[in-house]
Amino acid sequence: MRVEIWSDIACPWCYVGKARFEKGLAAFAHRDDVEVVHRSFELDPGRAKGDTALVVDMLATKYGRTREEARSMEENVASNARSEGLEYRIDGRDHGSTFDIHRLLHFAKAQGRQDELLSLAYRANFAEERSVFDSETLIALAVEAGLDEAEARAVLADADAYADDVRADEREAAELGANGVPFFVLDRRYGVSGGQPAEVFTQALEQAWQGRVITEIGQKTGDADVAGDAAVAGDAAVADDAAVCGPDGCAVPHAGPHAGAHA
């Protein structure tokens, strides 16, 4: 069974959602039979390469808040991340175009090292004092992920390398109705939107697996529709108020101990 995950390195809920999904997958009985593929989704596709700003400053400008208010917004997301055992720094973190990162992730996918590079990029962006919007940092991360340095440099030097793959992922996300990330598609039959609790991912995996077995036995054909807001096809359950990031920003879910602000 294949699980496709649309996400962006700049998305804090994608960072949290990846950790929660992995916990949910670990509790799934057929986890060894699940292939995970990461797909591209840019939250700020119109941003020029090299145009970076501190996250807190960007949030303050975007939402018309003071820096103190913007920092408080970030603290809300950070507390959710830390509850999952993830490090999350606020001060000194920057925001910029993620197009090159997505191109490099497609290169890593071709080399069988996509998940390794994605995990390193998330850690660098949210937990460490390393800017993923710097080419040399990206090269260092690629090498840490087990990729060839010269080949990684060649990818970043060629603006067309894997660009079509990134755009194809983004078109497909739009066709599936995904207007925010993280967005999970299970076996092309179920869609789960947002950084859901781990148990929701386990339940969705079980539902998708059961549907897959029924399809194989019944020799049915065709894919069920996948929507951007909830699980679809059958009775798969998804928690309300999932945390997602979209072009207009990232929302903290209204339910739970960290409800409230946007980031």
Side-chain angles (χ1 to χ4, degrees), residues 19-41:
R20 290 176 175 172
F21 170 77
E22 288 171 351
K23 289 178 182 178
L25 178 61
F28 178 53
H30 303 283
R31 57 188 174 274
D32 293 337
D33 296 310
V34 175
E35 175 193 11
V36 178
V37 177
H38 298 283
R39 303 289 192 191
S40 300
F41 190 107

Side-chain angles (χ1 to χ4, degrees), residues 3 5 16-26 36 184 201 205:
V3 176
I5 307 173
V16 174
K18 185 176 188 294
R20 290 176 175 172
F21 170 77
E22 288 171 351
K23 289 178 182 178
L25 178 61
V36 178
F184 304 76
F201 285 119
L205 286 163

Side-chain angles (χ1 to χ4, degrees), residues 44-74:
D44 199 354
R47 198 176 193 94
K49 180 178 179 179
D51 179 11
T52 61
L54 290 175
V55 168
V56 171
D57 292 341
M58 181 273 292
L59 292 173
T61 299
K62 186 169 188 174
Y63 295 109
R65 305 290 183 87
T66 65
R67 290 193 85 260
E68 289 72 21
E69 290 171 331
R71 198 176 191 286
S72 178
M73 291 155 58
E74 272 285 275

